[in-house]
């Protein structure tokens, strides 16, 4: 036994040596890294380096175990060892470093006994890569993955206990909707009254509450709500069909894992022993099931570290509950809390604005972001006349930035609703600005990709009836709708899968005429399964599948067909990348990864294009220059949140998230008039603008001093609507390639907004546009563009009052621009 004085000295020396490994962290970050035992809540503000803290905390656990957070000493340490630690040189050599780490370590943690759960594949991949860079081979085996991926891995071992095959497939949202459509049709439930997505929403909430189909049915039968009874019927049949197909939807992955732990305590105990440390990122976005899963693995007083920011809880509509983070210290009585408030992303004015907005929320634990990077520029606010001017102002600001040496990917445009991207896209196309919409057509939602993925899923799990029906006649092989319906009928009667029935089609009189064609299909799948079973590498198998199915050849040779073929070949890149980073890769693992893929996972910030996305999608990203558009009451905050405190606080958190995406420059825009869904609205400027103190924002001088102002508030009168209709008929936003008349009312970008009028503009005749002479330009003309540099005109397409130019620039490549718009930014030799 060691005496108290020696123990205290050794513990202090050991902690000091361990802390030197993390000297680059700030005090609060380092405290979080060295706190290893028991429940820990890390309140990590936006841009506070939480991923860095997670990585270093894992490194500490692997290198030193629990040594930094205990006064327990290893056996056989001596006074000489203490003297060595106390006098360790500032720059020790390799031998001294090895001895110091050996002396300091206590119960080092094996990598596979750490599970770090994130919310996106992209975040999980970043975590893995940074851990590998810091720890090398010691990082192998760490469970750094999403909730869904972790549950999928667990269920691959134990799903049979719940009656599912371990070779189950995963249905995405489109698959789930397709199954539900058929369920509603066969149950004779009117999908106009209960749309499939609505029913799936009810089912999702039921699963989050751990409610089974039987539970929902019992609850519905006890009341008189016909809607609930129909949902319960649909839930029961939907669950039956998925189980029969050996398939799970996204919710099932977590729901069934929690059920597994509850119904099989020995399995729960195994994983509780297996994982010594659990870390959960973005804890403020967890729902009830995710909370239950994490607490099951951690146990009542386990080593669970949750990282999150109550001020960034913005996913209530997905079932997330802010209470999970607000009540963490109540649920874990011995929990410690560390706040990370130093921001490494944004300037002082941006942070002060975010702090000023979020402090108006009542449901928060409280913290204040700060930076030592300086105040930076004030936030810029611009009030434009309408949404066309708003879009053109943003496009022109981007072009001006390009002329000043910035890049397109320095800019991001954030909006509350996807519908707001419409005007922006047109403005960017007119100006030749490359852009990428996050949340548009996703790669894995493309028909050709879903077809190939369906083939892979059926090879993995022939009982997957939904995917089989998608490809049974793709490419066309003479298996029509009549044959498919007969196939369905036989399968329903026998209780077999469609694949099993198709494999024995000759045994059923109603299928004999199509038996040969069905045998051709099932034989194809069987051959592919055999090749995979023989150990064929996944990339070679993918080539074999394309060859045997003849899918690409069936597309034809049109431009669209070539593009679809390119997408299919791009999918092979995913296969190859998956193989490179996965030990002993399997088809099941690849399907699990792609099933949980999102459009954001494909986003590469190195792509030189302006990024456009909703504020929800922007969470976790950062940009040098950010535009937040539609800053009007009714748009942001949304109309339904006004007057509802809980909803308004979520909208305010969303504003906080949007503001803190900006690193250097933030511009917030509003429009006096905005057309949404075919109707013009005239709303007040967002109350969030008024919550930002004037010392941090410029351009708000045009706003009145009171929220009672009525300059642009309320429903426009009929005369105003007619004026607006005719204005837009003249100044409509055209499709790319059409002529466009720049609105005469547009203020030069960067200029002051128009003063507010006391009432809507009266109806007035619309004068024809003034004809102005266009610059002389012809094929071969040399131009100098402020953003794109020197270029040569290769094509001129005359249009009414304008012309479309195709220009090959020396450094920017080929661009198409409208002459009238481009003339303001280029000179012609």
């Amino acid at each position: 036994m060691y005496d108290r004085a020696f123990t205290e000295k050794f513990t202090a020396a050991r902690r000091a040596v361990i802390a030197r490994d993390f000297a680059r962290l700030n005090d609060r970050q380092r405290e979080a890294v060295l706190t290893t035992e028991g429940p820990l809540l890390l309140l990590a503000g936006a841009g506070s380096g939480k991923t860095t803290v997670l990585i270093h905390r894992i490194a500490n656990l692997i290198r030193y175990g629990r040594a930094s957070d205990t006064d327990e000493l290893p056996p056989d340490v001596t006074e000489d060892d203490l003297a060595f630690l106390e006098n360790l040189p500032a720059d020790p050599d390799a031998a001294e470093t090895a001895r110091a780490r050996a002396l300091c370590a206590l119960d080092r943690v094996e990598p596979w006994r750490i599970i770090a759960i994130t919310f996106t594949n992209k975040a999980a991949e970043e975590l893995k890569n940074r851990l590998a860079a810091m720890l090398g081979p010691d990082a192998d085996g760490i469970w750094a993955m999403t909730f869904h991926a972790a549950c999928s891995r667990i269920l691959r071992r134990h799903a049979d206990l719940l009656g599912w095959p371990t070779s189950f497939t995963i249905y995405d949202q489109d698959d789930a909707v397709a199954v539900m459509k058929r369920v509603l049709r066969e149950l004779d439930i009117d999908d106009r009254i209960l749309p499939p997505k609505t029913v799936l929403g009810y089912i999702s909430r039921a699963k989050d509450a751990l409610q089974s189909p039987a539970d929902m049915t019992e609850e519905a039968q006890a009341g008189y709500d016909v809607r609930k009874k129909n949902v319960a019927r649909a839930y029961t049949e939907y669950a039956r069909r998925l189980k029969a197909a050996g398939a799970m939807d996204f919710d099932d992955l977590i729901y069934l894992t929690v059920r597994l732990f509850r119904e099989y305590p020995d399995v729960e105990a195994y994983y509780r022993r297996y994982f010594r440390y659990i870390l959960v990122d973005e804890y403020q976005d967890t729902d009830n099931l995710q909370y239950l899963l994490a607490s099951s693995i951690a146990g009542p007083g386990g080593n669970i570290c949750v990282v999150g920011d109550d001020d960034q809880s913005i996913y209530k509509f997905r079932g997330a509950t802010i209470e999970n983070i607000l009540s963490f210290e109540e649920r874990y009585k011995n929990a410690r809390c560390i706040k990370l408030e130093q921001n490494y992303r944004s300037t002082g004015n941006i942070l002060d604005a975010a702090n000023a907005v979020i402090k108006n929320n009542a449901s928060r634990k409280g913290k204040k972001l700060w930076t030592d990077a300086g105040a930076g520029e004030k936030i810029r606010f611009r009030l434009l006349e309408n949404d066309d001017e708003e879009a053109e102002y943003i496009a022109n600001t981007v072009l001006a930035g390009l002329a000043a040496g910035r890049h397109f990917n320095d800019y991001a445009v954030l909006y509350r609703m996807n519908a707001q991207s419409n005007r922006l896209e047109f403005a960017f196309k007119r100006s030749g600005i490359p852009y990428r919409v996050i949340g548009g057509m996703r790669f894995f939602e493309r028909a050709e990709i879903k077809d190939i993925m369906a083939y892979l899923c059926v090879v993995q799990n022939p009982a997957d009836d939904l995917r089989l029906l998608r490809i049974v006649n793709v490419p066309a092989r003479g298996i029509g709708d009549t044959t498919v319906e007969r196939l369905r009928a036989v399968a329903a009667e026998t209780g077999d899968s469609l694949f099993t029935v198709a494999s024995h089609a000759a045994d059923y009189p109603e299928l004999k005429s199509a038996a040969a064609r069905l045998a051709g299909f099932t034989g194809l799948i069987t051959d592919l399964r055999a090749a995979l079973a023989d150990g064929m590498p996944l990339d070679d198998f993918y080539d074999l599948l394309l060859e045997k199915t003849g899918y690409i050849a069936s597309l034809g040779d049109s431009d669209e067909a070539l593009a679809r073929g390119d997408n299919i070949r791009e999918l092979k890149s995913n296969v190859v990348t998956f193989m490179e980073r996965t030990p002993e890769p399997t088809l099941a693992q690849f399907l699990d990864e792609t099933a949980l893929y999102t459009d954001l996972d494909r986003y590469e910030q190195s792509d030189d294009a302006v990024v456009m996305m909703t504020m929800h999608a922007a969470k976790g990203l950062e940009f040098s220059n950010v535009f937040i558009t539609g800053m009007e009451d009714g748009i942001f905050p949304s109309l339904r949140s006004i007057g509802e405190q809980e909803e308004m606080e979520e909208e305010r958190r969303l504003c906080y998230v949007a503001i803190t995406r900006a690193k250097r420059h933030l511009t917030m825009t509003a429009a006096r008039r905005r057309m949404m869904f075919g109707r013009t609205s005239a709303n007040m400027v967002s109350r969030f603008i008024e919550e930002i103190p004037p010392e941090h924002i410029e351009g708000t001088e045009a706003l009145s001093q009171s929220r009672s102002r009525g300059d642009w508030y309320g429903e426009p009168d009929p005369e105003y609507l007619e004026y607006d209709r005719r204005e837009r008929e003249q100044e409509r936003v055209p499709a790319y390639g059409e002529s466009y008349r720049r609105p005469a009312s547009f203020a030069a970008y960067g200029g002051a907004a128009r003063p507010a009028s006391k009432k809507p503009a009266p109806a007035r005749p619309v004068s024809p546009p003034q004809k102005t002479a266009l610059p002389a330009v012809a094929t071969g003309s040399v131009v100098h563009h402020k953003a794109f540099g020197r270029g040569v005109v290769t094509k001129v397409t005359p249009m009414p009052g304008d012309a479309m130019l195709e220009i090959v620039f020396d450094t920017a490549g080929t661009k198409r621009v409208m002459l009238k718009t481009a003339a303001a930014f280029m000179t012609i030799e």
Side-chain angles (χ1 to χ4, degrees):
M1 293 292 292
Y2 306 104
D3 63 37
R4 182 174 179 179
F6 179 85
T7 298
E8 289 177 352
K9 286 182 180 180
F10 192 93
T11 300
R14 178 175 65 188
R15 187 175 176 91
V17 170
I18 296 173
R20 284 168 55 172
D21 264 14
F22 309 106
R24 293 185 178 181
L25 305 180
N26 67 42
D27 292 344
R28 296 285 74 76
Q29 290 175 328
R30 190 162 46 252
E31 181 185 358
V33 167
L34 301 184
T35 303
T36 64
E37 303 308 291
L40 173 64
L41 169 61
L42 293 183
L43 278 180
S48 63
K50 67 182 177 68
T51 304
T52 297
V53 171
L54 281 176
I55 291 164
H56 285 80
R57 193 170 192 272
I58 292 172
N60 181 36
L61 292 170
I62 292 175
R63 286 177 184 168
Y64 300 107
R66 58 191 180 91
S68 62
D69 201 24
T70 180
D71 59 3
E72 182 180 336
L73 304 188
D76 305 323
V77 292
T78 66
E79 291 283 354
D80 181 61
D81 294 328
L82 173 58
F84 170 77
L85 292 181
E86 288 180 331
N87 296 287
L88 188 69
D91 188 20
D93 60 28
E96 290 169 327
T97 298
R99 182 185 175 189
R101 288 186 175 178
L103 283 173
C104 290
L106 184 67
D107 292 340
R108 290 181 58 186
V109 186
E110 300 92 336
W112 55 88
R113 303 192 70 180
I114 299 172
I115 179 170
I117 302 177
T118 67
F119 266 78
T120 67
N121 293 303
K122 193 175 185 69
E125 196 62 30
E126 179 188 359
L127 195 59
K128 290 176 187 175
N129 292 338
R130 290 178 63 177
L131 284 168
M134 172 173 268
L135 299 172
D138 281 347
D140 295 344
I142 296 171
W143 284 45
M145 57 188 66
T146 63
F147 274 103
H148 293 97
C151 290
S152 177
R153 182 180 290 191
I154 292 169
L155 291 171
R156 289 289 173 203
R157 296 185 60 183
H158 307 288
D160 55 329
L161 295 175
L162 298 173
W164 266 262
T166 54
S167 61
F168 63 84
T169 49
I170 301 173
Y171 282 0
D172 64 17
Q173 180 68 10
D174 288 345
D175 298 326
V177 169
V179 174
M180 184 54 69
K181 282 181 179 177
R182 189 161 191 90
V183 165
L184 296 178
R185 186 163 58 249
E186 294 186 2
L187 293 178
D188 199 25
I189 297 173
D190 191 340
D191 63 6
R192 292 170 298 178
I193 298 174
L194 270 178
K197 288 186 177 180
T198 300
V199 179
L200 288 170
Y202 280 118
I203 293 173
S204 180
R205 288 190 287 276
K207 290 176 181 176
D208 190 51
L210 273 185
Q211 192 175 44
S212 69
D215 296 332
M216 180 182 276
T217 299
E218 182 180 353
E219 181 182 297
Q221 293 301 327
Y224 300 95
D225 191 329
V226 175
R227 186 183 182 90
K228 283 186 178 179
K229 291 179 180 180
N230 281 334
V231 171
R233 291 169 59 212
Y235 183 12
T236 301
E237 179 59 17
Y238 174 78
R240 187 197 69 78
R241 287 180 183 239
L242 261 63
K243 192 169 186 178
M248 300 180 189
D249 63 20
F250 291 162
D251 291 329
D252 284 332
L253 293 173
I254 305 179
Y255 168 69
L256 292 174
T257 304
V258 173
R259 266 190 53 196
L260 174 72
F261 287 163
R262 293 200 164 198
E263 295 177 21
Y264 295 89
D266 56 325
V267 177
E268 179 185 54
Y270 168 80
Y271 283 101
R272 194 171 286 177
R273 290 191 305 271
Y274 186 90
F275 295 117
R276 279 182 58 190
Y277 292 89
I278 176 171
L279 299 91
V280 183
D281 194 11
E282 303 290 2
Y283 193 68
Q284 77 281 347
D285 293 331
T286 53
D287 57 25
N288 183 55
L289 276 179
Q290 290 160 340
Y291 160 74
L292 292 174
L293 177 71
S295 58
S296 287
I297 295 175
N303 297 320
I304 179 171
C305 170
V306 302
V307 185
D309 183 358
D310 52 321
D311 292 334
Q312 295 189 73
S313 179
I314 59 173
Y315 293 119
K316 182 183 176 185
F317 67 96
R318 294 182 186 171
T321 171
I322 193 174
E323 284 304 313
N324 285 346
I325 193 167
L326 294 179
S327 63
F328 182 84
E329 292 167 281
E330 295 175 15
R331 289 172 171 171
Y332 295 91
K333 298 300 182 184
N334 59 336
R336 289 178 276 185
C337 177
I338 299 172
K339 296 181 181 181
L340 305 180
E341 298 172 296
Q342 184 174 359
N343 179 281
Y344 293 93
R345 175 190 299 157
S346 306
T347 62
N349 274 318
I350 292 172
L351 296 181
D352 289 341
N355 288 329
V357 170
I358 201 63
K359 75 177 183 181
N360 292 284
N361 275 5
S363 299
R364 60 189 298 258
K365 298 185 79 70
K367 64 181 179 312
K368 187 174 182 179
L369 297 180
W370 62 277
T371 182
D372 57 11
E377 293 183 7
K378 285 188 177 183
I379 295 170
R380 187 185 309 169
F381 173 71
R382 291 294 179 266
L383 176 61
L384 289 310
E385 197 64 28
N386 54 49
D387 42 348
D388 287 340
E389 289 193 6
E390 178 185 57
E392 191 166 351
Y393 164 75
I394 292 171
N396 287 341
T397 303
V398 170
L399 289 175
L402 263 289
R406 296 187 183 130
H407 301 281
F408 289 117
N409 61 5
D410 288 331
Y411 293 90
V413 184
L414 310 183
Y415 35 76
R416 182 63 180 82
M417 297 177 287
N418 276 308
Q420 291 172 250
S421 73
N422 186 21
R423 296 285 196 262
L424 292 160
E425 289 190 65
F426 286 148
F428 284 175
K429 286 178 179 177
R430 284 195 305 273
S431 300
I433 296 174
Y435 65 91
R436 180 172 181 184
V437 179
I438 302 295
M441 172 63 80
R442 295 174 173 86
F443 181 75
F444 284 95
E445 289 178 355
R446 299 181 186 277
E448 61 273 15
I449 299 301
K450 291 185 77 69
D451 287 343
I452 299 301
M453 292 300 297
Y455 268 107
L456 294 172
C457 287
V458 172
V459 169
Q460 169 67 20
N461 173 22
D464 189 342
D465 288 354
L466 181 70
R467 268 60 176 269
L468 183 144
L469 288 172
R470 183 180 183 96
I471 59 171
V472 69
N473 198 40
V474 178
R477 49 177 62 94
I479 302 174
D481 293 344
T482 301
T483 299
V484 168
E485 287 307 314
R486 290 173 179 171
L487 192 64
R488 281 180 180 274
V490 173
E493 184 178 345
T494 63
D496 294 323
S497 69
L498 296 179
F499 186 85
T500 299
V501 173
S503 299
H504 301 89
D507 297 341
Y508 304 99
E510 54 266 65
L511 293 174
K512 278 189 176 180
S513 62
R517 296 187 293 278
L518 289 170
F521 172 72
T522 58
L524 167 66
I525 299 299
T526 301
D527 290 346
L528 290 170
R529 284 173 60 82
L532 203 59
D534 287 342
M536 179 177 284
L538 281 183
D539 51 351
D540 293 340
F541 170 76
Y542 186 83
D543 292 337
L544 179 68
L545 183 147
L546 296 183
E547 176 190 335
K548 281 190 167 293
T549 60
Y551 188 96
I552 291 182
S554 72
L555 296 175
D557 57 2
S558 66
D559 289 345
E560 181 184 356
L562 293 175
R564 295 178 69 189
D566 287 343
N567 288 335
I568 293 169
R569 283 181 279 271
E570 174 63 18
L571 181 57
K572 185 180 178 180
S573 299
N574 290 59
V575 175
V576 173
T577 302
F578 168 76
M579 292 176 68
E580 289 173 349
R581 66 168 182 255
T582 308
E584 300 181 12
T586 66
L587 177 58
Q589 290 173 310
F590 175 72
L591 292 174
D592 285 354
E593 180 175 291
T594 53
L596 303 175
Y597 220 63
T598 70
D599 198 35
L600 275 175
D601 296 324
R602 296 184 60 82
Y603 166 60
E604 292 293 339
Q605 207 154 356
S606 59
D607 295 344
D608 195 17
V610 177
V611 177
M612 300 167 57
M613 65 180 79
T614 64
M615 299 170 197
H616 283 97
K619 189 168 177 291
L621 302 177
E622 59 182 41
F623 304 89
S624 294
N625 307 275
V626 171
F627 297 94
I628 303 178
T629 66
M631 294 300 298
E632 304 135 38
D633 276 3
I635 302 295
F636 188 48
S638 65
L639 187 61
R640 70 174 180 274
S641 68
I642 296 175
E644 300 289 336
Q645 181 178 346
E646 191 173 334
E647 297 293 332
M648 181 60 69
E649 292 206 353
E650 176 126 344
E651 290 286 292
R652 191 172 279 111
R653 291 193 293 268
L654 186 58
C655 185
Y656 173 87
V657 167
I659 290 172
T660 55
R661 298 313 94 196
K663 296 164 68 175
R664 296 291 174 264
H665 307 282
L666 174 62
T667 302
M668 307 174 89
T669 62
R672 296 180 186 278
R673 296 177 289 124
R674 183 177 301 276
M675 179 174 283
M676 295 286 290
F677 314 114
R679 184 180 180 185
T680 296
S681 62
N683 300 321
M684 293 171 67
V685 168
S686 172
R687 62 195 65 200
F688 298 150
I689 294 294
E690 294 187 345
E691 291 176 355
I692 300 174
E695 61 265 29
H696 304 305
I697 188 169
E698 59 93 2
T700 58
E701 297 80 7
L703 304 182
S704 60
Q705 300 300 311
S706 169
R707 287 202 59 82
S708 64
R709 66 187 184 277
D711 295 351
W712 53 89
Y713 181 67
E715 294 293 328
D717 61 34
E719 285 188 336
Y720 185 87
L721 286 174
E722 176 61 17
Y723 159 74
D724 181 79
R725 184 192 67 76
R726 287 186 289 171
E727 279 281 284
R728 288 179 182 275
E729 184 63 28
Q730 291 292 322
E731 300 179 355
R732 67 189 182 91
V733 177
Y736 181 66
E738 293 184 337
S739 61
Y740 175 75
R741 182 170 70 83
R742 183 173 178 171
S745 59
F746 180 72
Y749 67 89
R754 283 185 177 180
S757 59
K758 291 299 180 183
K759 61 181 180 179
R764 56 181 169 82
V766 178
S767 59
Q770 296 295 318
K771 293 184 178 180
T772 56
L774 293 175
V777 62
T779 300
S781 295
V782 176
V783 301
H784 292 272
H785 195 282
K786 289 182 180 179
F788 306 130
R790 181 186 179 278
V792 177
V793 178
T794 58
K795 186 177 181 181
V796 179
T797 305
M799 294 183 173
D802 207 343
M804 183 169 68
L805 310 181
E806 186 167 293
I807 307 173
V808 178
F809 291 96
D810 294 347
T811 57
T814 301
K815 304 288 182 184
R816 290 177 178 173
V817 298
M818 300 307 299
L819 175 56
K820 189 176 291 185
T821 300
F825 295 93
M826 69 182 187
T827 57
I828 303 169
E829 290 187 2

mmCIF file of all heavy atoms in Angstrom, residues 811-825:
data_model
loop_
_atom_site.group_PDB
_atom_site.id
_atom_site.type_symbol
_atom_site.label_atom_id
_atom_site.label_comp_id
_atom_site.label_asym_id
_atom_site.label_seq_id
_atom_site.Cartn_x
_atom_site.Cartn_y
_atom_site.Cartn_z
ATOM 1 N N THR A 811 -9.635 29.798 -67.911
ATOM 2 C CA THR A 811 -9.473 29.060 -66.647
ATOM 3 C C THR A 811 -10.773 28.495 -66.108
ATOM 4 O O THR A 811 -10.760 27.528 -65.352
ATOM 5 C CB THR A 811 -8.859 29.971 -65.562
ATOM 6 O OG1 THR A 811 -9.688 31.123 -65.391
ATOM 7 C CG2 THR A 811 -7.461 30.403 -65.949
ATOM 8 N N ALA A 812 -11.903 29.059 -66.479
ATOM 9 C CA ALA A 812 -13.186 28.645 -65.901
ATOM 10 C C ALA A 812 -13.949 27.661 -66.775
ATOM 11 O O ALA A 812 -15.022 27.198 -66.396
ATOM 12 C CB ALA A 812 -14.055 29.863 -65.614
ATOM 13 N N GLY A 813 -13.429 27.348 -67.975
ATOM 14 C CA GLY A 813 -14.121 26.405 -68.847
ATOM 15 C C GLY A 813 -15.255 27.065 -69.596
ATOM 16 O O GLY A 813 -15.327 28.294 -69.724
ATOM 17 N N THR A 814 -16.173 26.260 -70.101
ATOM 18 C CA THR A 814 -17.279 26.754 -70.926
ATOM 19 C C THR A 814 -18.443 27.203 -70.049
ATOM 20 O O THR A 814 -18.864 26.493 -69.136
ATOM 21 C CB THR A 814 -17.763 25.664 -71.889
ATOM 22 O OG1 THR A 814 -16.662 25.270 -72.724
ATOM 23 C CG2 THR A 814 -18.903 26.177 -72.761
ATOM 24 N N LYS A 815 -18.959 28.411 -70.318
ATOM 25 C CA LYS A 815 -20.107 28.944 -69.591
ATOM 26 C C LYS A 815 -21.130 29.443 -70.600
ATOM 27 O O LYS A 815 -20.783 29.912 -71.685
ATOM 28 C CB LYS A 815 -19.703 30.115 -68.682
ATOM 29 C CG LYS A 815 -18.600 29.806 -67.679
ATOM 30 C CD LYS A 815 -19.089 28.914 -66.572
ATOM 31 C CE LYS A 815 -17.992 28.668 -65.560
ATOM 32 N NZ LYS A 815 -18.414 27.712 -64.507
ATOM 33 N N ARG A 816 -22.395 29.335 -70.235
ATOM 34 C CA ARG A 816 -23.474 29.929 -71.016
ATOM 35 C C ARG A 816 -24.060 31.076 -70.200
ATOM 36 O O ARG A 816 -24.442 30.880 -69.043
ATOM 37 C CB ARG A 816 -24.553 28.891 -71.322
ATOM 38 C CG ARG A 816 -24.104 27.820 -72.306
ATOM 39 C CD ARG A 816 -25.194 26.798 -72.513
ATOM 40 N NE ARG A 816 -24.825 25.782 -73.476
ATOM 41 C CZ ARG A 816 -25.560 24.694 -73.736
ATOM 42 N NH1 ARG A 816 -26.687 24.496 -73.088
ATOM 43 N NH2 ARG A 816 -25.162 23.815 -74.634
ATOM 44 N N VAL A 817 -24.124 32.246 -70.797
ATOM 45 C CA VAL A 817 -24.628 33.415 -70.085
ATOM 46 C C VAL A 817 -25.551 34.201 -71.004
ATOM 47 O O VAL A 817 -25.432 34.143 -72.235
ATOM 48 C CB VAL A 817 -23.484 34.328 -69.592
ATOM 49 C CG1 VAL A 817 -22.593 33.593 -68.622
ATOM 50 C CG2 VAL A 817 -22.656 34.861 -70.771
ATOM 51 N N MET A 818 -26.489 34.947 -70.390
ATOM 52 C CA MET A 818 -27.338 35.839 -71.156
ATOM 53 C C MET A 818 -26.590 37.166 -71.324
ATOM 54 O O MET A 818 -26.041 37.718 -70.356
ATOM 55 C CB MET A 818 -28.671 36.066 -70.436
ATOM 56 C CG MET A 818 -29.462 34.786 -70.216
ATOM 57 S SD MET A 818 -29.729 33.823 -71.729
ATOM 58 C CE MET A 818 -30.664 34.975 -72.730
ATOM 59 N N LEU A 819 -26.542 37.674 -72.552
ATOM 60 C CA LEU A 819 -25.739 38.848 -72.864
ATOM 61 C C LEU A 819 -26.148 40.057 -72.028
ATOM 62 O O LEU A 819 -25.290 40.773 -71.496
ATOM 63 C CB LEU A 819 -25.862 39.172 -74.364
ATOM 64 C CG LEU A 819 -25.169 40.445 -74.842
ATOM 65 C CD1 LEU A 819 -23.697 40.437 -74.487
ATOM 66 C CD2 LEU A 819 -25.362 40.621 -76.353
ATOM 67 N N LYS A 820 -27.459 40.281 -71.879
ATOM 68 C CA LYS A 820 -27.911 41.485 -71.189
ATOM 69 C C LYS A 820 -27.445 41.490 -69.736
ATOM 70 O O LYS A 820 -27.035 42.513 -69.194
ATOM 71 C CB LYS A 820 -29.439 41.586 -71.260
ATOM 72 C CG LYS A 820 -29.980 42.919 -70.751
ATOM 73 C CD LYS A 820 -31.483 43.016 -70.924
ATOM 74 C CE LYS A 820 -31.880 43.109 -72.390
ATOM 75 N NZ LYS A 820 -33.325 43.331 -72.571
ATOM 76 N N THR A 821 -27.498 40.317 -69.091
ATOM 77 C CA THR A 821 -27.070 40.227 -67.696
ATOM 78 C C THR A 821 -25.559 40.257 -67.592
ATOM 79 O O THR A 821 -24.981 40.938 -66.738
ATOM 80 C CB THR A 821 -27.610 38.939 -67.054
ATOM 81 O OG1 THR A 821 -29.044 38.960 -67.115
ATOM 82 C CG2 THR A 821 -27.175 38.818 -65.605
ATOM 83 N N ALA A 822 -24.880 39.506 -68.479
ATOM 84 C CA ALA A 822 -23.427 39.380 -68.396
ATOM 85 C C ALA A 822 -22.716 40.671 -68.746
ATOM 86 O O ALA A 822 -21.570 40.898 -68.325
ATOM 87 C CB ALA A 822 -22.946 38.260 -69.312
ATOM 88 N N ALA A 823 -23.374 41.549 -69.513
ATOM 89 C CA ALA A 823 -22.721 42.773 -69.974
ATOM 90 C C ALA A 823 -22.234 43.647 -68.821
ATOM 91 O O ALA A 823 -21.265 44.392 -68.956
ATOM 92 C CB ALA A 823 -23.683 43.571 -70.860
ATOM 93 N N ALA A 824 -22.909 43.542 -67.669
ATOM 94 C CA ALA A 824 -22.502 44.348 -66.515
ATOM 95 C C ALA A 824 -21.210 43.852 -65.897
ATOM 96 O O ALA A 824 -20.605 44.550 -65.089
ATOM 97 C CB ALA A 824 -23.620 44.336 -65.470
ATOM 98 N N PHE A 825 -20.787 42.638 -66.282
ATOM 99 C CA PHE A 825 -19.621 42.045 -65.626
ATOM 100 C C PHE A 825 -18.475 41.757 -66.585
ATOM 101 O O PHE A 825 -17.473 41.170 -66.204
ATOM 102 C CB PHE A 825 -20.025 40.740 -64.927
ATOM 103 C CG PHE A 825 -20.983 40.943 -63.804
ATOM 104 C CD1 PHE A 825 -22.349 40.857 -64.020
ATOM 105 C CD2 PHE A 825 -20.534 41.247 -62.522
ATOM 106 C CE1 PHE A 825 -23.247 41.052 -62.983
ATOM 107 C CE2 PHE A 825 -21.417 41.437 -61.491
ATOM 108 C CZ PHE A 825 -22.790 41.346 -61.715
#
